[in-house]
Short mmCIF file of all heavy atoms in Angstrom, two decimals:
data_model
loop_
_atom_site.label_atom_id
_atom_site.label_comp_id
_atom_site.label_asym_id
_atom_site.label_seq_id
_atom_site.Cartn_x
_atom_site.Cartn_y
_atom_site.Cartn_z
N MET A 21 -5.00 10.93 -27.28
CA MET A 21 -4.93 9.50 -27.49
C MET A 21 -3.85 8.94 -26.56
O MET A 21 -2.73 9.40 -26.57
CB MET A 21 -4.58 9.21 -28.95
CG MET A 21 -4.39 7.77 -29.24
SD MET A 21 -3.86 7.35 -30.93
CE MET A 21 -4.70 8.49 -31.96
N LYS A 22 -4.24 7.94 -25.76
CA LYS A 22 -3.29 7.27 -24.88
C LYS A 22 -3.33 5.78 -25.18
O LYS A 22 -4.41 5.20 -25.31
CB LYS A 22 -3.65 7.51 -23.42
CG LYS A 22 -3.52 8.95 -23.00
CD LYS A 22 -3.87 9.13 -21.55
CE LYS A 22 -3.78 10.60 -21.19
NZ LYS A 22 -4.14 10.84 -19.82
N LEU A 23 -2.16 5.18 -25.28
CA LEU A 23 -2.05 3.74 -25.50
C LEU A 23 -1.85 3.07 -24.16
O LEU A 23 -1.11 3.57 -23.30
CB LEU A 23 -0.89 3.44 -26.43
CG LEU A 23 -0.98 4.06 -27.83
CD1 LEU A 23 0.31 3.83 -28.59
CD2 LEU A 23 -2.17 3.51 -28.59
N VAL A 24 -2.49 1.92 -23.96
CA VAL A 24 -2.39 1.19 -22.69
C VAL A 24 -2.24 -0.30 -22.97
O VAL A 24 -2.66 -0.80 -24.01
CB VAL A 24 -3.63 1.42 -21.79
CG1 VAL A 24 -3.76 2.87 -21.40
CG2 VAL A 24 -4.91 0.94 -22.45
N ARG A 25 -1.63 -0.98 -22.00
CA ARG A 25 -1.66 -2.45 -21.97
C ARG A 25 -2.58 -2.81 -20.83
O ARG A 25 -2.56 -2.18 -19.77
CB ARG A 25 -0.28 -3.04 -21.70
CG ARG A 25 0.56 -3.14 -22.96
CD ARG A 25 1.88 -3.88 -22.74
NE ARG A 25 1.66 -5.28 -22.47
CZ ARG A 25 2.15 -5.92 -21.41
NH1 ARG A 25 2.86 -5.31 -20.51
NH2 ARG A 25 1.91 -7.19 -21.23
N TYR A 26 -3.38 -3.85 -21.02
CA TYR A 26 -4.34 -4.23 -19.99
C TYR A 26 -4.74 -5.69 -20.14
O TYR A 26 -4.49 -6.32 -21.17
CB TYR A 26 -5.57 -3.31 -20.06
CG TYR A 26 -6.46 -3.54 -21.25
CD1 TYR A 26 -7.65 -4.24 -21.13
CD2 TYR A 26 -6.11 -3.09 -22.51
CE1 TYR A 26 -8.47 -4.47 -22.22
CE2 TYR A 26 -6.92 -3.31 -23.61
CZ TYR A 26 -8.09 -4.00 -23.46
OH TYR A 26 -8.89 -4.24 -24.55
N ASN A 27 -5.35 -6.23 -19.09
CA ASN A 27 -5.93 -7.58 -19.10
C ASN A 27 -5.04 -8.62 -19.78
O ASN A 27 -5.39 -9.17 -20.82
CB ASN A 27 -7.31 -7.56 -19.75
CG ASN A 27 -8.34 -6.78 -18.95
OD1 ASN A 27 -8.01 -6.22 -17.92
ND2 ASN A 27 -9.56 -6.74 -19.43
N SER A 28 -3.90 -8.89 -19.20
CA SER A 28 -2.99 -9.94 -19.67
C SER A 28 -2.40 -9.67 -21.04
O SER A 28 -2.36 -10.54 -21.91
CB SER A 28 -3.68 -11.30 -19.65
OG SER A 28 -4.11 -11.63 -18.35
N GLY A 29 -1.95 -8.45 -21.28
CA GLY A 29 -1.19 -8.13 -22.48
C GLY A 29 -1.96 -7.55 -23.65
O GLY A 29 -1.38 -7.30 -24.70
N ARG A 30 -3.25 -7.31 -23.49
CA ARG A 30 -4.01 -6.69 -24.58
C ARG A 30 -3.53 -5.25 -24.75
O ARG A 30 -3.08 -4.63 -23.80
CB ARG A 30 -5.50 -6.72 -24.30
CG ARG A 30 -6.02 -8.15 -24.11
CD ARG A 30 -7.47 -8.31 -24.37
NE ARG A 30 -7.82 -8.20 -25.77
CZ ARG A 30 -7.59 -9.14 -26.70
NH1 ARG A 30 -6.94 -10.22 -26.39
NH2 ARG A 30 -7.97 -8.96 -27.95
N ILE A 31 -3.62 -4.73 -25.96
CA ILE A 31 -3.26 -3.35 -26.23
C ILE A 31 -4.53 -2.59 -26.53
O ILE A 31 -5.38 -3.06 -27.28
CB ILE A 31 -2.28 -3.25 -27.42
CG1 ILE A 31 -0.99 -4.01 -27.10
CG2 ILE A 31 -1.98 -1.78 -27.74
CD1 ILE A 31 -0.03 -4.09 -28.26
N GLY A 32 -4.64 -1.43 -25.91
CA GLY A 32 -5.85 -0.63 -26.11
C GLY A 32 -5.53 0.84 -26.24
O GLY A 32 -4.42 1.29 -25.96
N MET A 33 -6.53 1.55 -26.65
CA MET A 33 -6.44 3.00 -26.72
C MET A 33 -7.45 3.57 -25.73
O MET A 33 -8.62 3.19 -25.75
CB MET A 33 -6.74 3.49 -28.12
CG MET A 33 -6.36 4.94 -28.28
SD MET A 33 -6.52 5.49 -29.97
CE MET A 33 -8.23 5.91 -29.98
N LEU A 34 -6.98 4.45 -24.86
CA LEU A 34 -7.83 5.07 -23.86
C LEU A 34 -8.32 6.41 -24.39
O LEU A 34 -7.52 7.26 -24.78
CB LEU A 34 -7.04 5.28 -22.56
CG LEU A 34 -7.77 5.97 -21.42
CD1 LEU A 34 -8.97 5.16 -20.96
CD2 LEU A 34 -6.81 6.20 -20.26
N ARG A 35 -9.65 6.54 -24.44
CA ARG A 35 -10.23 7.78 -24.94
C ARG A 35 -11.54 8.02 -24.20
O ARG A 35 -12.41 7.15 -24.17
CB ARG A 35 -10.48 7.65 -26.44
CG ARG A 35 -10.97 8.91 -27.08
CD ARG A 35 -11.02 8.73 -28.57
NE ARG A 35 -11.42 9.96 -29.20
CZ ARG A 35 -11.55 10.11 -30.49
NH1 ARG A 35 -11.31 9.10 -31.29
NH2 ARG A 35 -11.93 11.25 -30.99
N ASP A 36 -11.65 9.19 -23.60
CA ASP A 36 -12.87 9.58 -22.89
C ASP A 36 -13.29 8.55 -21.84
O ASP A 36 -14.48 8.22 -21.71
CB ASP A 36 -14.01 9.84 -23.87
CG ASP A 36 -13.71 10.96 -24.84
OD1 ASP A 36 -13.01 11.92 -24.44
OD2 ASP A 36 -14.17 10.89 -26.00
N GLY A 37 -12.32 8.01 -21.12
CA GLY A 37 -12.62 7.07 -20.05
C GLY A 37 -12.95 5.66 -20.50
O GLY A 37 -13.32 4.82 -19.69
N MET A 38 -12.82 5.40 -21.80
CA MET A 38 -13.12 4.07 -22.34
C MET A 38 -11.85 3.48 -22.97
O MET A 38 -11.11 4.18 -23.64
CB MET A 38 -14.20 4.16 -23.41
CG MET A 38 -15.50 4.80 -22.95
SD MET A 38 -16.35 3.81 -21.71
CE MET A 38 -17.18 2.65 -22.75
N VAL A 39 -11.64 2.19 -22.74
CA VAL A 39 -10.52 1.47 -23.35
C VAL A 39 -11.06 0.73 -24.57
O VAL A 39 -12.00 -0.05 -24.47
CB VAL A 39 -9.88 0.49 -22.37
CG1 VAL A 39 -8.78 -0.31 -23.05
CG2 VAL A 39 -9.32 1.23 -21.16
N HIS A 40 -10.46 0.99 -25.72
CA HIS A 40 -10.85 0.37 -26.98
C HIS A 40 -9.76 -0.63 -27.36
O HIS A 40 -8.60 -0.24 -27.55
CB HIS A 40 -11.01 1.43 -28.07
CG HIS A 40 -12.03 2.46 -27.72
ND1 HIS A 40 -13.36 2.31 -28.03
CD2 HIS A 40 -11.92 3.64 -27.06
CE1 HIS A 40 -14.02 3.37 -27.60
NE2 HIS A 40 -13.17 4.18 -27.00
N ASP A 41 -10.12 -1.89 -27.46
CA ASP A 41 -9.16 -2.95 -27.78
C ASP A 41 -8.70 -2.82 -29.22
O ASP A 41 -9.51 -2.78 -30.15
CB ASP A 41 -9.80 -4.31 -27.57
CG ASP A 41 -8.82 -5.46 -27.70
OD1 ASP A 41 -7.64 -5.22 -28.01
OD2 ASP A 41 -9.25 -6.60 -27.50
N VAL A 42 -7.39 -2.75 -29.42
CA VAL A 42 -6.83 -2.67 -30.77
C VAL A 42 -5.94 -3.87 -31.08
O VAL A 42 -5.40 -3.97 -32.17
CB VAL A 42 -6.05 -1.34 -31.00
CG1 VAL A 42 -6.96 -0.15 -30.81
CG2 VAL A 42 -4.84 -1.23 -30.11
N SER A 43 -5.79 -4.78 -30.12
CA SER A 43 -4.92 -5.94 -30.31
C SER A 43 -5.31 -6.76 -31.54
O SER A 43 -4.51 -6.94 -32.45
CB SER A 43 -4.96 -6.86 -29.08
OG SER A 43 -4.52 -6.19 -27.94
N GLY A 44 -6.52 -7.26 -31.55
CA GLY A 44 -6.99 -8.10 -32.64
C GLY A 44 -7.05 -7.37 -33.97
O GLY A 44 -6.49 -7.83 -34.96
N PRO A 45 -7.74 -6.22 -34.01
CA PRO A 45 -7.86 -5.51 -35.29
C PRO A 45 -6.52 -5.12 -35.92
O PRO A 45 -6.42 -5.03 -37.13
CB PRO A 45 -8.67 -4.26 -34.93
CG PRO A 45 -9.45 -4.64 -33.73
CD PRO A 45 -8.56 -5.59 -32.97
N LEU A 46 -5.49 -4.90 -35.09
CA LEU A 46 -4.19 -4.52 -35.64
C LEU A 46 -3.23 -5.71 -35.75
O LEU A 46 -2.10 -5.56 -36.18
CB LEU A 46 -3.56 -3.42 -34.79
CG LEU A 46 -4.31 -2.09 -34.78
CD1 LEU A 46 -3.56 -1.07 -33.93
CD2 LEU A 46 -4.51 -1.55 -36.18
N GLY A 47 -3.69 -6.90 -35.35
CA GLY A 47 -2.89 -8.11 -35.51
C GLY A 47 -1.83 -8.34 -34.44
O GLY A 47 -0.85 -9.03 -34.70
N PHE A 48 -2.03 -7.81 -33.25
CA PHE A 48 -1.09 -8.03 -32.15
C PHE A 48 -1.63 -9.12 -31.24
O PHE A 48 -2.75 -9.03 -30.75
CB PHE A 48 -0.86 -6.75 -31.35
CG PHE A 48 -0.21 -5.66 -32.15
CD1 PHE A 48 -0.90 -4.52 -32.51
CD2 PHE A 48 1.11 -5.77 -32.56
CE1 PHE A 48 -0.31 -3.51 -33.25
CE2 PHE A 48 1.72 -4.78 -33.31
CZ PHE A 48 1.00 -3.65 -33.65
N ASP A 49 -0.83 -10.16 -31.03
CA ASP A 49 -1.23 -11.30 -30.20
C ASP A 49 -0.85 -11.03 -28.75
O ASP A 49 0.34 -10.95 -28.42
CB ASP A 49 -0.52 -12.56 -30.70
CG ASP A 49 -0.87 -13.80 -29.90
OD1 ASP A 49 -1.73 -13.73 -28.99
OD2 ASP A 49 -0.28 -14.85 -30.19
N PRO A 50 -1.84 -10.90 -27.85
CA PRO A 50 -1.54 -10.62 -26.44
C PRO A 50 -0.73 -11.72 -25.77
O PRO A 50 -0.03 -11.47 -24.79
CB PRO A 50 -2.91 -10.50 -25.78
CG PRO A 50 -3.87 -10.31 -26.87
CD PRO A 50 -3.27 -10.92 -28.10
N ALA A 51 -0.78 -12.94 -26.29
CA ALA A 51 -0.06 -14.07 -25.69
C ALA A 51 1.35 -14.24 -26.26
O ALA A 51 2.08 -15.12 -25.82
CB ALA A 51 -0.86 -15.35 -25.89
N ALA A 52 1.74 -13.42 -27.22
CA ALA A 52 3.07 -13.56 -27.85
C ALA A 52 4.17 -13.34 -26.82
O ALA A 52 4.06 -12.51 -25.93
CB ALA A 52 3.20 -12.57 -28.99
N TRP A 53 5.25 -14.11 -26.98
CA TRP A 53 6.41 -13.94 -26.11
C TRP A 53 7.63 -13.75 -26.98
O TRP A 53 7.80 -14.49 -27.94
CB TRP A 53 6.60 -15.14 -25.20
CG TRP A 53 7.67 -14.86 -24.19
CD1 TRP A 53 8.94 -15.32 -24.21
CD2 TRP A 53 7.54 -14.03 -23.05
NE1 TRP A 53 9.64 -14.82 -23.14
CE2 TRP A 53 8.79 -14.01 -22.40
CE3 TRP A 53 6.52 -13.27 -22.50
CZ2 TRP A 53 9.04 -13.29 -21.25
CZ3 TRP A 53 6.77 -12.55 -21.35
CH2 TRP A 53 8.01 -12.58 -20.74
N PRO A 54 8.46 -12.78 -26.73
CA PRO A 54 8.32 -11.76 -25.69
C PRO A 54 7.20 -10.77 -26.04
O PRO A 54 6.81 -10.64 -27.20
CB PRO A 54 9.69 -11.06 -25.69
CG PRO A 54 10.25 -11.30 -27.04
CD PRO A 54 9.68 -12.60 -27.53
N PRO A 55 6.70 -10.08 -25.02
CA PRO A 55 5.58 -9.16 -25.22
C PRO A 55 6.02 -7.85 -25.86
O PRO A 55 6.27 -6.85 -25.19
CB PRO A 55 5.04 -8.94 -23.80
CG PRO A 55 6.23 -9.14 -22.92
CD PRO A 55 7.07 -10.18 -23.60
N VAL A 56 6.13 -7.84 -27.18
CA VAL A 56 6.66 -6.68 -27.89
C VAL A 56 5.60 -5.93 -28.70
O VAL A 56 5.92 -5.04 -29.48
CB VAL A 56 7.83 -7.08 -28.82
CG1 VAL A 56 9.01 -7.59 -28.02
CG2 VAL A 56 7.37 -8.10 -29.84
N GLY A 57 4.32 -6.28 -28.50
CA GLY A 57 3.26 -5.65 -29.26
C GLY A 57 3.24 -4.14 -29.14
O GLY A 57 3.09 -3.42 -30.14
N MET A 58 3.42 -3.62 -27.93
CA MET A 58 3.39 -2.17 -27.74
C MET A 58 4.57 -1.51 -28.46
O MET A 58 4.41 -0.46 -29.08
CB MET A 58 3.41 -1.82 -26.25
CG MET A 58 3.31 -0.33 -25.96
SD MET A 58 1.74 0.43 -26.46
CE MET A 58 0.70 -0.06 -25.10
N VAL A 59 5.74 -2.13 -28.41
CA VAL A 59 6.92 -1.59 -29.10
C VAL A 59 6.67 -1.56 -30.61
O VAL A 59 6.97 -0.58 -31.29
CB VAL A 59 8.18 -2.41 -28.76
CG1 VAL A 59 9.37 -1.95 -29.58
CG2 VAL A 59 8.49 -2.32 -27.28
N GLN A 60 6.07 -2.63 -31.13
CA GLN A 60 5.76 -2.68 -32.56
C GLN A 60 4.72 -1.63 -32.94
O GLN A 60 4.83 -1.00 -33.99
CB GLN A 60 5.27 -4.08 -32.94
CG GLN A 60 6.35 -5.13 -32.84
CD GLN A 60 5.82 -6.54 -33.02
OE1 GLN A 60 4.62 -6.79 -32.94
NE2 GLN A 60 6.73 -7.47 -33.26
N LEU A 61 3.74 -1.44 -32.08
CA LEU A 61 2.72 -0.43 -32.35
C LEU A 61 3.34 0.97 -32.38
O LEU A 61 3.06 1.76 -33.29
CB LEU A 61 1.61 -0.49 -31.30
CG LEU A 61 0.55 0.60 -31.37
CD1 LEU A 61 -0.14 0.61 -32.72
CD2 LEU A 61 -0.46 0.42 -30.26
N ILE A 62 4.19 1.26 -31.44
CA ILE A 62 4.85 2.57 -31.40
C ILE A 62 5.72 2.76 -32.64
O ILE A 62 5.73 3.83 -33.25
CB ILE A 62 5.65 2.74 -30.10
CG1 ILE A 62 4.67 2.84 -28.91
CG2 ILE A 62 6.55 3.97 -30.16
CD1 ILE A 62 5.33 2.73 -27.56
N ALA A 63 6.44 1.72 -33.04
CA ALA A 63 7.29 1.82 -34.23
C ALA A 63 6.48 2.07 -35.50
O ALA A 63 6.93 2.75 -36.40
CB ALA A 63 8.12 0.54 -34.38
N ARG A 64 5.25 1.54 -35.54
CA ARG A 64 4.40 1.67 -36.72
C ARG A 64 3.32 2.75 -36.55
O ARG A 64 2.41 2.86 -37.35
CB ARG A 64 3.73 0.33 -37.02
CG ARG A 64 4.71 -0.75 -37.40
CD ARG A 64 4.04 -2.09 -37.62
NE ARG A 64 2.89 -1.98 -38.51
CZ ARG A 64 1.90 -2.87 -38.53
NH1 ARG A 64 1.91 -3.91 -37.74
NH2 ARG A 64 0.89 -2.70 -39.36
N PHE A 65 3.44 3.55 -35.49
CA PHE A 65 2.40 4.51 -35.15
C PHE A 65 2.02 5.44 -36.31
O PHE A 65 0.82 5.63 -36.55
CB PHE A 65 2.79 5.33 -33.92
CG PHE A 65 1.70 6.21 -33.43
CD1 PHE A 65 0.65 5.69 -32.69
CD2 PHE A 65 1.69 7.56 -33.72
CE1 PHE A 65 -0.37 6.50 -32.24
CE2 PHE A 65 0.67 8.38 -33.28
CZ PHE A 65 -0.36 7.85 -32.54
N PRO A 66 2.97 6.02 -37.04
CA PRO A 66 2.56 6.93 -38.12
C PRO A 66 1.63 6.26 -39.14
O PRO A 66 0.67 6.86 -39.61
CB PRO A 66 3.88 7.35 -38.77
CG PRO A 66 4.89 7.21 -37.67
CD PRO A 66 4.43 6.01 -36.88
N GLU A 67 1.90 4.99 -39.45
CA GLU A 67 1.08 4.29 -40.43
C GLU A 67 -0.26 3.82 -39.84
O GLU A 67 -1.25 3.68 -40.56
CB GLU A 67 1.87 3.11 -41.02
CG GLU A 67 1.38 1.74 -40.67
CD GLU A 67 2.30 0.61 -41.07
OE1 GLU A 67 3.52 0.72 -40.95
OE2 GLU A 67 1.76 -0.42 -41.49
N LEU A 68 -0.32 3.58 -38.52
CA LEU A 68 -1.52 3.04 -37.89
C LEU A 68 -2.41 4.10 -37.23
O LEU A 68 -3.51 3.78 -36.79
CB LEU A 68 -1.13 2.00 -36.83
CG LEU A 68 -0.42 0.75 -37.36
CD1 LEU A 68 0.04 -0.13 -36.21
CD2 LEU A 68 -1.33 -0.02 -38.29
N ARG A 69 -1.95 5.32 -37.15
CA ARG A 69 -2.68 6.36 -36.43
C ARG A 69 -4.14 6.50 -36.88
O ARG A 69 -5.06 6.58 -36.07
CB ARG A 69 -1.96 7.70 -36.56
CG ARG A 69 -2.60 8.78 -35.76
CD ARG A 69 -1.89 10.12 -35.94
NE ARG A 69 -2.44 11.04 -34.99
CZ ARG A 69 -1.75 11.72 -34.12
NH1 ARG A 69 -0.44 11.60 -34.09
NH2 ARG A 69 -2.34 12.54 -33.28
N GLY A 70 -4.39 6.53 -38.17
CA GLY A 70 -5.75 6.66 -38.68
C GLY A 70 -6.64 5.50 -38.27
O GLY A 70 -7.80 5.70 -37.86
N ARG A 71 -6.11 4.29 -38.34
CA ARG A 71 -6.89 3.11 -37.92
C ARG A 71 -7.19 3.16 -36.44
O ARG A 71 -8.29 2.80 -36.01
CB ARG A 71 -6.14 1.82 -38.25
CG ARG A 71 -6.30 1.44 -39.71
CD ARG A 71 -5.74 0.09 -40.04
NE ARG A 71 -6.54 -0.99 -39.48
CZ ARG A 71 -6.11 -2.23 -39.40
NH1 ARG A 71 -4.90 -2.55 -39.80
NH2 ARG A 71 -6.88 -3.18 -38.90
N LEU A 72 -6.22 3.61 -35.64
CA LEU A 72 -6.44 3.72 -34.20
C LEU A 72 -7.59 4.67 -33.91
O LEU A 72 -8.45 4.39 -33.08
CB LEU A 72 -5.18 4.20 -33.49
CG LEU A 72 -4.05 3.19 -33.34
CD1 LEU A 72 -2.78 3.89 -32.90
CD2 LEU A 72 -4.45 2.11 -32.36
N GLN A 73 -7.61 5.79 -34.57
CA GLN A 73 -8.67 6.77 -34.35
C GLN A 73 -10.03 6.20 -34.76
O GLN A 73 -11.03 6.44 -34.10
CB GLN A 73 -8.36 8.07 -35.08
CG GLN A 73 -7.18 8.79 -34.45
CD GLN A 73 -6.73 10.02 -35.22
OE1 GLN A 73 -6.94 10.13 -36.42
NE2 GLN A 73 -6.09 10.94 -34.52
N ASP A 74 -10.08 5.43 -35.84
CA ASP A 74 -11.33 4.80 -36.26
C ASP A 74 -11.79 3.75 -35.25
O ASP A 74 -12.98 3.66 -34.95
CB ASP A 74 -11.18 4.15 -37.63
CG ASP A 74 -11.06 5.16 -38.76
OD1 ASP A 74 -11.42 6.34 -38.55
OD2 ASP A 74 -10.58 4.77 -39.84
N LEU A 75 -10.85 2.97 -34.71
CA LEU A 75 -11.20 1.93 -33.75
C LEU A 75 -11.74 2.53 -32.45
O LEU A 75 -12.55 1.93 -31.76
CB LEU A 75 -9.99 1.04 -33.46
CG LEU A 75 -9.54 0.14 -34.61
CD1 LEU A 75 -8.19 -0.49 -34.29
CD2 LEU A 75 -10.59 -0.92 -34.89
N ALA A 76 -11.29 3.73 -32.11
CA ALA A 76 -11.73 4.38 -30.87
C ALA A 76 -13.15 4.90 -30.98
O ALA A 76 -13.72 5.35 -29.98
CB ALA A 76 -10.78 5.50 -30.50
N LYS A 77 -13.76 4.84 -32.14
CA LYS A 77 -15.14 5.29 -32.30
C LYS A 77 -16.14 4.19 -31.96
O LYS A 77 -17.31 4.44 -31.79
CB LYS A 77 -15.38 5.78 -33.73
CG LYS A 77 -14.57 7.01 -34.07
CD LYS A 77 -14.76 7.40 -35.52
CE LYS A 77 -13.85 8.57 -35.87
NZ LYS A 77 -13.86 8.86 -37.30
N GLY A 78 -15.65 2.96 -31.87
CA GLY A 78 -16.53 1.83 -31.59
C GLY A 78 -16.79 1.64 -30.10
O GLY A 78 -16.49 2.51 -29.27
N GLN A 79 -17.31 0.48 -29.78
CA GLN A 79 -17.63 0.13 -28.40
C GLN A 79 -16.35 -0.06 -27.60
O GLN A 79 -15.43 -0.72 -28.04
CB GLN A 79 -18.46 -1.16 -28.38
CG GLN A 79 -18.93 -1.58 -27.02
CD GLN A 79 -20.03 -0.67 -26.48
OE1 GLN A 79 -20.69 0.04 -27.23
NE2 GLN A 79 -20.22 -0.70 -25.18
N GLY A 80 -16.31 0.51 -26.41
CA GLY A 80 -15.17 0.36 -25.53
C GLY A 80 -15.60 -0.18 -24.18
O GLY A 80 -16.78 -0.44 -23.94
N THR A 81 -14.64 -0.35 -23.30
CA THR A 81 -14.88 -0.82 -21.93
C THR A 81 -14.45 0.29 -20.98
O THR A 81 -13.36 0.84 -21.14
CB THR A 81 -14.04 -2.08 -21.65
OG1 THR A 81 -14.36 -3.08 -22.63
CG2 THR A 81 -14.31 -2.62 -20.27
N PRO A 82 -15.28 0.61 -19.99
CA PRO A 82 -14.87 1.64 -19.03
C PRO A 82 -13.53 1.29 -18.39
O PRO A 82 -13.28 0.13 -18.03
CB PRO A 82 -16.00 1.63 -17.99
CG PRO A 82 -17.19 1.08 -18.72
CD PRO A 82 -16.61 0.09 -19.69
N VAL A 83 -12.66 2.27 -18.27
CA VAL A 83 -11.31 2.03 -17.75
C VAL A 83 -11.35 1.42 -16.35
O VAL A 83 -10.46 0.67 -15.96
CB VAL A 83 -10.45 3.32 -17.80
CG1 VAL A 83 -10.95 4.35 -16.81
CG2 VAL A 83 -8.98 3.01 -17.59
N GLU A 84 -12.40 1.69 -15.59
CA GLU A 84 -12.53 1.13 -14.25
C GLU A 84 -12.74 -0.38 -14.27
O GLU A 84 -12.56 -1.05 -13.26
CB GLU A 84 -13.70 1.78 -13.51
CG GLU A 84 -13.57 3.25 -13.28
CD GLU A 84 -14.04 4.11 -14.48
OE1 GLU A 84 -14.67 3.56 -15.42
OE2 GLU A 84 -13.74 5.30 -14.47
N GLN A 85 -13.11 -0.93 -15.41
CA GLN A 85 -13.40 -2.36 -15.51
C GLN A 85 -12.25 -3.18 -16.10
O GLN A 85 -12.41 -4.38 -16.33
CB GLN A 85 -14.67 -2.58 -16.34
CG GLN A 85 -15.91 -2.03 -15.69
CD GLN A 85 -17.14 -2.26 -16.53
OE1 GLN A 85 -17.15 -3.01 -17.50
NE2 GLN A 85 -18.22 -1.58 -16.17
N VAL A 86 -11.12 -2.56 -16.35
CA VAL A 86 -9.96 -3.29 -16.87
C VAL A 86 -8.82 -3.20 -15.87
O VAL A 86 -8.79 -2.32 -15.02
CB VAL A 86 -9.49 -2.77 -18.25
CG1 VAL A 86 -10.63 -2.84 -19.25
CG2 VAL A 86 -8.95 -1.37 -18.16
N LYS A 87 -7.88 -4.13 -15.98
CA LYS A 87 -6.67 -4.10 -15.15
C LYS A 87 -5.54 -3.57 -15.99
O LYS A 87 -5.04 -4.25 -16.90
CB LYS A 87 -6.34 -5.50 -14.65
CG LYS A 87 -5.13 -5.52 -13.76
CD LYS A 87 -4.77 -6.91 -13.30
CE LYS A 87 -3.50 -6.83 -12.49
NZ LYS A 87 -2.94 -8.16 -12.26
N LEU A 88 -5.14 -2.32 -15.72
CA LEU A 88 -4.04 -1.70 -16.47
C LEU A 88 -2.72 -2.34 -16.08
O LEU A 88 -2.51 -2.72 -14.92
CB LEU A 88 -4.01 -0.19 -16.22
CG LEU A 88 -5.22 0.57 -16.72
CD1 LEU A 88 -5.12 2.05 -16.31
CD2 LEU A 88 -5.38 0.46 -18.22
N GLU A 89 -1.81 -2.46 -17.05
CA GLU A 89 -0.49 -3.06 -16.84
C GLU A 89 0.59 -2.09 -17.30
O GLU A 89 0.29 -1.10 -17.98
CB GLU A 89 -0.38 -4.36 -17.62
CG GLU A 89 -1.44 -5.37 -17.23
CD GLU A 89 -1.48 -6.59 -18.15
OE1 GLU A 89 -0.85 -6.55 -19.22
OE2 GLU A 89 -2.16 -7.55 -17.79
N ALA A 90 1.82 -2.39 -16.96
CA ALA A 90 2.94 -1.57 -17.42
C ALA A 90 3.03 -1.67 -18.94
O ALA A 90 2.85 -2.75 -19.50
CB ALA A 90 4.25 -2.04 -16.79
N PRO A 91 3.28 -0.54 -19.61
CA PRO A 91 3.34 -0.59 -21.07
C PRO A 91 4.52 -1.39 -21.57
O PRO A 91 4.54 -1.93 -22.60
CB PRO A 91 3.45 0.87 -21.49
CG PRO A 91 3.79 1.63 -20.28
CD PRO A 91 3.50 0.77 -19.11
#
């Protein structure tokens, strides 16, 4: 499981070449300032791990079709 930021601050999980958006389902606003969504996700990772794995089973976007950003 790899966590990524992409497309103007969205947070996703990269799995098998697909990026699965977790911003909305986990309540992280990509437009929030300062951009601390990834830090909050990492801090809450033990509690959110199961949900992340479930979200990665759904429809994703090929990693080649997103613009990856610094985490």
Side-chain angles (χ1 to χ4, degrees):
M21 176 184 323
K22 294 180 182 179
L23 300 173
V24 297
R25 277 187 68 234
Y26 71 103
N27 293 2
S28 300
R30 301 204 71 74
I31 299 174
M33 192 173 85
L34 178 62
R35 185 173 183 180
D36 299 327
M38 303 294 278
V39 176
H40 301 271
D41 188 357
V42 300
S43 299
L46 295 181
F48 296 110
D49 180 4
W53 188 257
V56 295
M58 183 65 80
V59 174
Q60 292 172 344
L61 174 58
I62 292 168
R64 295 177 50 202
F65 187 78
E67 112 190 39
L68 296 174
R69 185 182 188 126
R71 280 188 71 195
L72 286 168
Q73 290 174 335
D74 289 342
L75 291 169
K77 294 176 185 172
Q79 184 72 19
T81 304
V83 69
E84 297 85 11
Q85 295 180 12
V86 303
K87 181 182 177 193
L88 296 176
E89 301 171 349

